[in-house]
Amino acid sequence: MSYDTQIPQAPQVAMRNGLGTAALILGIIGTLSGLIPLFFWLAGILGVIALILGLVGRGRVKRGEANNKGATTTGAILGLAALILSVVGAVITFTAVSDAVDEIDKSIKESAPKDPSGGKAAKSLAAGDTSVYEDIKVSVSEAKPYKPSEFTDLTEGNKAYQVTVVIENGGKEKFDAALVTLSARAGKDGVTAEQIFDGKVGAGFSGSILPGKKSTVVYAFEVPKGAKDLAVEVSPGLEHEAAQWELKVG
């Protein structure tokens, strides 16, 4: 009697290649994201995940649970590359933003009046000093006694003083002088010094000043009795900060 002997075959183990495949896909996407400006954050996230999945996948390959060693290794390498590109992209982006902010701050500072004394003096300027802007220069002379016309009535005890204001256009475009405004305060209490309009003075600046040209206007103010100083403030327009001159009177 004969018997057929059959040896049972060991069941085949299903390969667990999912992690390696996922690492490869995420590594590719992460690396491509790192090459695109402003997508460094996505490259960093995908790079971390791809690297972790790739390393775990390699562990499966070593244990014989997976057989996609090439895909797993490539995914881990691409994950690392995505991380490096992420760091580089972040540095470039933050540097560009910082440079842009510095340029904005620089342009704002350049449009403000420059202190002719180099920033060592007080905020106010003295007679004859020049307030320098990016495109124009403004200067105010010393205050001189002024004789109003016979049709101008001053308050009893008050005196009239005149100042000469000069604006020089050092820019490349014409300057709209009609936007220039001027005011004054007198004495230690800062009482408003009323501007005098008598046909000889008071018209103010008008029209435009061409590049390389100057415009000169004389203003006169009624100064209260006993005042020893006159603060004259000139505002060249909306794009320029006002500057102030402290002048001696009396």
Side-chain angles (χ1 to χ4, degrees):
M1 178 179 294
S2 62
Y3 297 92
D4 293 331
T5 304
Q6 295 182 351
I7 301 175
Q9 296 181 350
Q12 293 183 350
V13 180
M15 293 292 100
R16 302 170 64 187
N17 295 329
L19 292 181
T21 303
L24 179 61
I25 295 174
L26 295 179
I28 293 174
I29 298 175
T31 303
L32 294 177
S33 299
L35 299 176
I36 302 175
L38 302 181
F39 275 76
F40 62 89
W41 56 272
L42 180 60
I45 295 174
L46 296 181
V48 171
I49 298 174
L51 182 59
I52 294 174
L53 294 181
L55 294 176
V56 175
R58 282 179 59 84
R60 287 185 176 181
V61 172
K62 291 181 179 180
R63 294 191 299 270
E65 298 174 1
N67 58 2
N68 59 342
K69 180 179 179 181
T72 302
T73 303
T74 303
I77 294 174
L78 290 177
L80 181 60
L83 280 175
I84 296 174
L85 291 175
S86 174
V87 174
V88 174
V91 171
I92 293 175
T93 300
F94 293 138
T95 301
V97 172
S98 178
D99 291 342
V101 173
D102 291 342
E103 285 297 324
I104 294 175
D105 290 340
K106 182 179 178 181
S107 63
I108 292 176
K109 291 179 181 179
E110 288 179 349
S111 65
K114 297 180 181 178
D115 188 347
S117 61
K120 298 180 180 180
K123 294 181 180 179
S124 298
L125 304 175
D129 285 343
T130 300
S131 181
V132 181
Y133 299 82
E134 185 177 4
D135 53 346
I136 62 170
K137 297 179 181 179
V138 182
S139 62
V140 177
S141 70
E142 63 178 346
K144 299 179 180 179
Y146 176 74
K147 183 178 181 180
S149 67
E150 58 182 359
F151 302 105
T152 302
D153 294 326
L154 299 181
T155 301
E156 185 176 355
N158 290 355
K159 297 181 180 180
Y161 289 88
Q162 71 177 42
V163 297
T164 301
V165 181
V166 179
I167 296 180
E168 179 181 358
N169 185 359
K172 297 181 180 180
E173 303 290 337
K174 64 181 181 180
F175 175 74
D176 188 0
L179 298 177
V180 177
T181 59
L182 190 142
S183 61
R185 295 185 300 275
K188 61 181 181 178
D189 295 328
V191 178
T192 299
E194 299 294 338
Q195 187 175 342
I196 297 175
F197 299 88
D198 64 356
K200 295 188 296 182
V201 294
F205 288 93
S206 61
S208 299
I209 304 175
L210 296 177
K213 300 297 183 179
K214 298 181 180 180
S215 181
T216 302
V217 174
V218 176
Y219 292 84
F221 298 94
E222 182 178 351
V223 178
K225 181 180 179 181
K228 299 298 182 181
D229 57 77
L230 180 67
V232 177
E233 183 172 283
V234 180
S235 177
L238 300 177
E239 297 181 355
H240 304 78
E241 292 186 9
Q244 189 174 111
W245 284 258
E246 290 287 346
L247 312 177
K248 299 296 183 182
V249 296

